Amino acid sequence: MRSDKMKKGIERAPHRSLFKAMGYTDEEIKRPIIGVVNSFNEIIPGHIHLRQVVDAVKAGIRMAGGTPVEFGAIGICDGIAMNHLGMRYSLASRELIADSVEVMSMAHPFDGLVLVPNCDKIIPGMLMAMLRLNIPAILVSGGPMLTGNWHGKKVNLISVFEGIGQVKAGKMSEEELCSLEDEACPTCGSCAGMFTANSMNCLSEAIGLALPGNGTIPAVSAKRYRLAKLAGMKVMELVEKGIKPRDIATKEAFQNAIAMDMALGCSTNTVLHVPAIANEAKVDLPLEVFNEMSHKTPHLCNMIPGGPHSLQELDLAGGIQAIFTELDKLGIINGDVMTVTGNTLKENFSKFKVLDHDVIRPIENPYHKEGGIAILYGNLAPDGAVVKQSAVAPEMLTHKGPARVFESEDEAYSAILGGKINPGDVVVIRYEGPKGGPGMPEMLSPTSAIVGMGLDKEVALLTDGRFSGGTKGAAIGHISPEAADGGPIGLVKEGDIISIDIPKRRLDIEISDEELGKRKASWKVPEPKIKEGYLARYARMVASGAKGAIVK
């Protein structure tokens, strides 16, 4: 056993003594020792209940003959960090989470790991660590929040963000907004909708690194605790059989997950996280794979925020495994890949069927013929840009308009709420990429303001930063190279005509190559916004958003 390095033989008597100081018995020390990573804290609604989930995991480990050893991991609430300096730390925290799990698991050689995250950067950070370490491991999340009910309609966190714009536009009173905020987030769990956290929880299941049900069982359901116990038991099987994460997360498994991404209409942040996870798995996953799978995969689920359906409804309709039964009919799924159940993907999903064909459409009648995400290229995005096309109004799939240029999210947000953006405009927010932000902050506030003010069918928003999974409308992010790296988005001038053609996967500025070259020649490297601390180090080391914003 891997843990023998810290517990077996006469030379490890001092080590065993330290275990005994914590109350571990000889029998517990002899058993396989399983690290349980708990990202519980009291600042994230998706994590507030993780002590109970982890208790269930530990019960499962003990039932299967192992000894659980719990340790903690940090986590940022993106919603609470939104629209201020804190958001610049969110994506950057992903690397800290991966590194801290690696450090703990190398310093203490566990035989296996169960990782318990639930929200945006915590899930990919833990998956990155799992694949970097490559010891038997399984991920089990805390599950999605239920939607709220406000005046008879389903609401969620994004409803409140959009409510700010509605108040500014005179469509809602401040009293109504206060009433809405009381009802929008009614339970613990990752925010209700196919936002980044739930997207990544679903994709961890699709890759095969989490059990069936991981992505969709509600946080408040007893099934979530039964799933956690089963995860604790299953990790013992993985240890016994020697099944490791890289045996599961193959290129074929990632392609399956990207197909699922397209069918679900997941967050654009998956285009950052999935390549970063693949990088740790030693799998080459270029950005173009997303377009390839998008062309092959129909959009089968119209989930919040782009559509009406919640994660709870998706769970009742059969969940991720039921969607696989539809995608398998197209011949685009590799069902032979291994999963943490110890069975192949096809052996898993063959036990499921679609129970609601409105929530999970048949392949013959999809919501859209193409997948939820598109990668755009052009002279404004030579290395690519990302849009959730399933959440774009049909009239905005192609658009031309004058650029309204802002050097930060705050400037743009003030202009939008101040009524300074006109129908037809293309809002350009730059110097908000991984290096320039630094930290590639999410742009939920300006996109929600555009929607709340009723401009989402007339105004596009472009950035080298990124968007929340809760974003809808013609919001195009991850424009690469970013402005801070001398990318063309940093050369756009007020009034330049921007051309967007999502069906043709194009994003261009309508000026000549000669003019673009002149502007490039006069461009100067900007002063970093943050010059000390973790973010300054991160900005010096981070790669392009087109490469998953991995740290070099």
Side-chain angles (χ1 to χ4, degrees), residues 15-166:
H15 303 63
R16 293 192 295 273
S17 182
L18 290 168
F19 273 101
K20 289 175 180 180
M22 295 177 281
Y24 292 99
T25 65
D26 284 324
E27 177 58 32
E28 288 174 298
I29 296 168
K30 287 177 184 175
R31 293 179 177 186
I33 295 181
I34 309 298
V36 182
V37 192
N38 186 356
S39 55
F40 162 83
N41 64 38
E42 295 181 342
I43 196 70
I44 310 179
H47 290 222
I48 194 70
H49 64 306
L50 291 189
R51 281 175 172 162
Q52 292 92 328
V53 175
V54 165
D55 282 345
V57 168
K58 292 194 287 189
I61 292 168
R62 292 190 184 101
M63 283 191 287
T67 297
V69 176
E70 178 183 340
F71 64 93
I74 64 166
I76 289 173
C77 178
D78 279 20
I80 295 173
M82 192 70 65
N83 197 225
H84 59 84
L85 179 63
M87 177 43 68
R88 302 188 187 282
Y89 286 84
S90 175
L91 179 60
S93 74
R94 185 186 73 181
E95 316 309 313
L96 289 175
I97 292 160
D99 289 351
S100 66
V101 175
E102 175 198 352
V103 165
M104 287 294 290
S105 303
M106 293 303 292
H108 315 100
F110 303 116
D111 296 301
L113 285 175
V114 181
L115 304 104
V116 188
N118 206 30
C119 290
D120 291 28
K121 299 322 143 314
I122 302 94
I123 304 156
M126 288 196 182
L127 289 170
M128 288 165 68
M130 180 193 295
L131 287 156
R132 185 185 303 172
L133 290 161
N134 201 33
I135 61 175
I138 189 169
L139 182 138
V140 59
S141 76
M145 182 185 291
L146 300 184
T147 53
N149 186 311
W150 186 67
H151 296 178
K153 64 179 180 180
K154 284 185 283 193
V155 291
N156 57 78
L157 176 68
I158 309 307
S159 309
V160 189
F161 274 97
E162 293 174 359
I164 298 168
Q166 291 176 300

Side-chain angles (χ1 to χ4, degrees), residues 115 285 355:
L115 304 104
L285 201 68
L355 302 175

Side-chain angles (χ1 to χ4, degrees), residues 377-521:
Y377 296 93
N379 68 356
L380 191 52
D383 293 342
V386 184
V387 63
K388 185 192 279 193
Q389 62 177 344
S390 59
V392 178
E395 52 266 55
M396 288 298 291
L397 290 171
T398 58
H399 179 76
K400 282 187 184 183
R404 303 295 307 281
V405 181
F406 301 93
E407 308 301 329
S408 72
E409 176 189 4
D410 292 343
E411 284 182 26
Y413 189 45
S414 296
I416 295 163
L417 292 180
K420 297 178 181 178
I421 302 302
N422 304 310
D425 284 349
V426 178
V427 176
V428 177
I429 305 176
R430 63 193 182 190
Y431 293 102
E432 296 287 18
K435 180 182 293 186
M440 206 178 187
E442 286 185 345
M443 306 286 177
L444 181 56
S445 294
T447 57
S448 297
I450 286 171
V451 173
M453 297 182 79
L455 293 170
D456 56 308
K457 295 180 180 178
E458 300 172 290
V459 171
L461 196 155
L462 314 182
T463 184
D464 53 5
R466 61 195 178 92
F467 296 110
S468 163
T471 295
K472 58 185 175 183
I476 300 170
H478 309 198
I479 293 176
S480 300
E482 63 175 290
D485 263 342
I489 188 173
L491 310 178
V492 178
K493 292 183 177 180
E494 187 83 5
D496 284 343
I497 299 301
I498 304 294
S499 173
I500 300 166
D501 192 330
I502 294 173
K504 292 184 179 178
R505 306 295 197 260
R506 295 294 304 180
L507 180 63
D508 294 284
I509 177 173
E510 294 195 345
I511 60 173
S512 67
D513 291 345
E514 182 182 11
E515 173 62 20
L516 205 56
K518 286 180 182 177
R519 295 184 188 182
K520 174 70 173 175

